[in-house]
Amino acid sequence: MIRRTACLIARGCDPYRNLAIEKHLMDTLPEETAILYLWQNRRSVVLGRGQNPWYELPVDTFTMSGGLIARRLSGGGAVYQDEGCVNATILLPKGELDIPRQLTLIGMAAGALGIQAQAIGRQDLGVSGSRFCTNTFYKSGSAAMHQAVLTVNAALGSMTQTLTVEEGRVPRNYRAPQVPAVNLGDLNPAITVESLQEAIYWSFARMFGQEPSMLDERMLHTISIEKLTQHFCDREWIFPKAPAYTFSVAERFPWGGVEVQLMAEGGVIRASRIYTDAMEYGLFEQMEQALVGSPFLISAISGRFEQKLAWLTMPRLRQMAGDVCTLICGRIRAMDRSGGQN
């Protein structure tokens, strides 16, 4: 049960520091407490935890023009942001996370500004098929968070250009078709960044039955924030090293896109990497670990998946793991039939 609520509005637009504050709030969240964290980023692309940057945007062109690339803790897809966007993170105890309720909170805020939100794609919100809010969710330890990014008066032309990758760079079937974006300010010119933040604040207050107390980031532990900021801007976090691979396969499922890369040597899988824009990134880390050390054989891979992922109880997660296992084994079977051509 939530007994206390608070709100913090970030002072700056540095995506790395803002992500650090978000992580610090999650790590130090008191029991029975919900916190609303409102923030904006300068021109940037924030990647999902499992994504390959080179599949999501023209990295060199974007960074040379002054754009920043960051990587968040949660899964999901890449999100373009600038100062015409509002980030709203709701942090609460893990047992209190209720995705339909969280989406209702954002819908209430839009409704207060005259916008009737509709479900779009995978847990996003929009109007008439165009999206104005992307949502991701993340759990760690005893806490959880809902991250929402809403476009108010963002540079939509730059967004489309930035999230377009040259043909041939991305594996076929990996990426989802882009959903058109719309600015809330175009739907209602009276909507501003400030009015949206206020609407979210009051929706948060109504949802939890009390007006949140206001926090200031200067109250937070400075050394912790600085250390986390360095982590989020570390190049190895944003661009993790990818092993050389001898096998790859990619596919798009209703739950997201996936590409599996394996390095097999001496008939054994020595390294694995799975790129995905699925929400449940932690599952894919488990699958990567399950694959390493397995003989590069269909029966062995199937057995590894069954053994290492036996802890899965949610039907959705079991379905996802089964889809990836079937994808890998199907590709190996096709290679065997074609004489080993990858």
Side-chain angles (χ1 to χ4, degrees):
M1 181 177 179
I2 300 299
R3 298 182 184 278
R4 295 173 296 274
T5 60
C7 176
L8 187 150
I9 301 178
R11 289 177 167 270
C13 296
D14 179 347
Y16 309 117
R17 178 176 174 82
N18 289 336
L19 286 167
I21 292 172
E22 181 184 65
K23 177 67 162 60
H24 178 79
L25 291 173
M26 187 175 193
D27 289 345
T28 59
L29 183 71
E31 294 182 359
E32 301 181 329
T33 301
I35 297 176
L36 171 64
Y37 174 43
L38 297 169
W39 43 299
Q40 293 175 270
N41 285 337
R42 56 171 285 196
R43 182 168 165 263
S44 57
V45 170
V46 181
L47 300 166
R49 181 67 182 87
Q51 291 188 293
N52 181 338
W54 306 98
Y55 292 175
E56 307 304 326
L57 74 156
V59 171
D60 294 334
T61 301
F62 185 66
T63 54
M64 289 177 64
S65 68
L68 300 177
I69 301 175
R71 187 185 295 277
R72 61 181 182 268
L73 293 168
S74 59
V79 181
Y80 170 90
Q81 300 181 34
D82 57 31
E83 293 181 49
C85 299
V86 169
N87 287 268
T89 300
I90 301 165
L91 302 113
L92 67 175
K94 184 185 295 184
E96 296 289 337
L97 180 64
D98 183 324
I99 292 176
R101 182 180 66 172
Q102 304 306 127
L103 297 178
T104 296
L105 190 156
I106 300 299
M108 287 168 55
L113 298 172
I115 307 299
Q116 186 64 44
Q118 303 166 350
I120 299 285
R122 297 179 298 164
Q123 299 173 341
D124 292 336
L125 299 173
V127 172
S128 301
S130 295
R131 178 173 57 196
F132 64 73
C133 177
T134 60
N135 299 277
T136 59
F137 304 88
Y138 178 72
K139 297 178 181 180
S140 179
S142 61
M145 64 179 166
H146 166 204
Q147 302 157 309
V149 183
L150 300 98
T151 52
V152 181
N153 50 28
L156 298 184
S158 181
M159 176 186 295
T160 300
Q161 183 177 11
T162 298
L163 297 179
T164 300
V165 184
E166 63 183 83
E167 188 175 351
R169 180 177 286 275
V170 184
R172 187 171 60 89
N173 297 335
Y174 174 77
R175 287 193 65 174
Q178 286 195 36
V179 177
V182 63
N183 276 321
L184 287 168
D186 292 335
L187 300 173
N188 178 358
I191 298 177
T192 63
V193 165
E194 293 74 18
S195 67
L196 177 59
Q197 288 181 329
E198 183 177 4
I200 295 172
Y201 174 91
W202 287 113
S203 291
F204 179 79
R206 288 194 297 273
M207 180 69 71
F208 294 105
Q210 56 185 288
E211 185 173 348
S213 59
M214 293 304 298
L215 305 176
D216 190 296
E217 64 183 66
R218 292 176 295 187
M219 301 164 58
L220 306 180
H221 193 268
T222 302
I223 295 176
S224 174
I225 299 300
E226 290 177 352
K227 184 177 180 179
L228 286 168
T229 300
Q230 290 303 310
H231 167 74
F232 280 108
C233 68
D234 190 312
R235 185 173 179 84
E236 290 190 8
W237 167 258
I238 303 168
F239 299 94
K241 292 181 180 178
Y245 61 90
T246 57
F247 168 94
S248 68
V249 63
E251 187 58 85
R252 181 133 209 110
F253 297 96
W255 45 260
V258 61
E259 184 197 18
V260 181
Q261 296 180 355
L262 306 176
M263 194 279 282
E265 186 178 49
V268 176
I269 299 172
R270 307 295 182 181
S272 70
R273 172 59 55 84
I274 302 178
Y275 296 111
T276 183
D277 61 3
M279 298 285 185
E280 300 83 351
Y281 173 72
L283 172 64
F284 292 85
E285 285 188 312
Q286 295 288 332
M287 285 191 267
E288 287 178 339
Q289 296 167 13
L291 286 163
V292 175
S294 170
F296 189 63
L297 297 169
I298 291 175
S299 59
I301 291 171
S302 297
R304 275 299 185 101
F305 267 72
E306 184 175 349
Q307 176 190 10
K308 299 291 186 179
L309 302 176
W311 57 273
L312 296 176
T313 56
M314 294 179 60
R316 173 179 169 82
L317 298 184
R318 294 187 67 86
Q319 177 67 52
M320 293 169 69
D323 287 343
V324 174
C325 183
T326 300
L327 177 66
I328 296 170
C329 294
R331 178 61 174 156
I332 294 174
R333 188 174 293 109
M335 290 170 58
D336 290 342
R337 289 172 179 169
S338 64
Q341 297 296 316
N342 191 1

